[in-house]
Each structure stands twice: as structure tokens, then as C-alpha cells.
Amino acid sequence: MTQNNLHGGQFSMPNEIRAVIFDLDGVLVDTAVFHFQAWKRLANSLGFDFTRKQNEQLKGVSRSRSLELILTWGNVHKTQEEQEQLAKQKNDWYLALINDMQPGDTLPGAVEVLTYLRANHYKIALGSASKNARLILKNTGIVHFFDAVVDGNAVQRSKPDPEVFLKGALALAVPADKCVVVEDSQAGIDAARAAGMQVVGLGSIDDLTGADYLISSVKELLSDQ
Ligand code: B16
Ligand code: MG
């Protein structure tokens, strides 16, 4: 593969791009299913339930904001202190699920794309809302691909604020207009645009707006997939 064949579907890597900033959940790994299980268990413990469709609204959204949304759906009111306890309980259940993740538990094409980018001297960063991102990268055996990891512990403001991606570009020492972000959530696409970066949206045109390119799987970043 050569530098210029990183394309496929509707995507072709623009020549000026020097760095790729990846979202984690929904792009490189499918942890959404574990988030859903843990949040559902929490909601059930409080006496209500929510749907998969509602769960879609939690994509790319921070843990505390996710809890606020879920409590609203259940019409349940909790003090700040109780909310912190509930968020911790959910995270404990979530951690028990991701602790079992291993090398290979990545989305199709993720390792091949990361391998290709490294071999072709692109800088690579992670830009994730998750405070558990490093553990997931380590468990799935892909942490060594990243020049920088910016996660939920490193930012003050959640997506759609551009902070996570601007910090990623800064850590890579690459200007924003030479970075492309790969994102599956609308909040993340909005954040990337607000950062002045190009953005590849992973998902359907019915759910995502504002991306420069749309693909349905990260493997479409490689032309021969
Ligand atoms: P944690 P991403 C996001 O990951 C998830 O999409 C979102 O559902 C989750 O609430 C958020 O991370 C925080 O995760 O509870 O592990 O800190 O898509 O930004 O990689
Ligand atoms: Mg995501």
C-alpha cells in the first residue's frame, strides 16, 4: 500500500493530512454494547427501563451526562451525591465487562488501518470521552499505535466542545487543519468541525450530519477492503 491509496467508499485521504485522531467507542472497539448493559442494569435497579433507541443518544456522551439523561427518562430525581454513587456503580459493572476484553476485540479493519497509518508515518491520537480509554486500548492490544491519548480524564468540556481534539492535535504537534478525525457520534462530528478539522463520520446519513466523508466501517479507510 502506498500513501495515496488510503481511500475507499467515499473517503480518500487528502494530501495535506498528517495526523488521524480516532474516537474509541464505535470506531475502534464496540464498547457501546457494554455501556448499554451496565446502564440498563442501573436503570432496572432503580425500577425502570430504557430502549436501544434511547441508548443511541448516549453515544459519545460523558458518563455524568449519560446518567442525567437516563434519570430524566425514568423520571427519577437524585441528589448530586447519589448521582456520583450511581455513576460509580455503573462504572464498576462496566469495568467488569471490559476487563474481559482481549487482543482481537477490535472492530473489523481497526488494526489494519492503524498498522497502515503507522507504516506511512501519519501521527495517531485518540480523542475519546471515556475515562476508561487507556484500559480498553491496553486490553485490546492497540495502545502502542498511539502517539497521544486524550481521554475523558484529560478534558474539562465534553464533545461537542472541540477540547478533546484540539488537545490531541497539540500533543501531536500537528496543526488542526492537517488533522482528520474519525467519529461515530454526532457530538464528536460537531466537536471535530468546531476544532477546524476534517471529519470522517462512521455511520449512516440518516443519523449523522456535517461530516466531510461518511463510511460504514473503519475498514473502508483502506482502499483494498
Ligand atoms: P466512560 P467515545 C464514550 O466513548 C461512549 O461513546 C459513551 O457512551 C460513554 O458514556 C463515554 O465514552 C464515557 O465513557 O464511562 O468509560 O468514561 O465514543 O468517546 O470513545
Ligand atoms: Mg464513539
Side-chain angles (χ1 to χ4, degrees), residues 48-63:
F48 68 96
D49 206 357
F50 63 93
T51 63
R52 275 185 186 276
K53 195 166 161 45
Q54 285 174 307
N55 187 61
E56 288 296 301
Q57 294 177 45
L58 307 179
K59 267 191 188 172
V61 174
S62 71
R63 193 183 311 163

Side-chain angles (χ1 to χ4, degrees), residues 104-141:
D105 288 341
T106 42
L107 284 167
V111 171
E112 289 82 350
V113 168
L114 291 166
T115 303
Y116 171 81
L117 292 172
R118 275 223 83 90
N120 287 277
H121 314 294
Y122 287 97
K123 293 278 184 192
I124 305 175
L126 190 84
S128 167
S130 175
K131 294 185 171 174
N132 300 300
R134 277 183 191 276
L135 176 66
I136 295 165
L137 293 180
K138 278 187 196 142
N139 284 0
T140 55

Side-chain angles (χ1 to χ4, degrees), residues 26-27 107-110 113 182 200-203 214-222 225:
V27 173
L107 284 167
V113 168
V182 189
V200 179
L202 216 155
L214 266 185
I215 57 176
S216 55
S217 159
V218 78
K219 69 182 175 190
E220 287 170 35
L221 292 173
L222 293 176
Q225 301 300 305

Side-chain angles (χ1 to χ4, degrees), residues 23-25 35 39 58-63 66 90-91 94 127-132 159 184:
D23 175 51
L24 181 61
D25 176 28
H35 282 297
W39 282 128
L58 307 179
K59 267 191 188 172
V61 174
S62 71
R63 193 183 311 163
S66 299
K90 179 269 175 178
N91 197 52
Y94 176 68
S128 167
S130 175
K131 294 185 171 174
N132 300 300
K159 302 167 188 176
D184 72 318

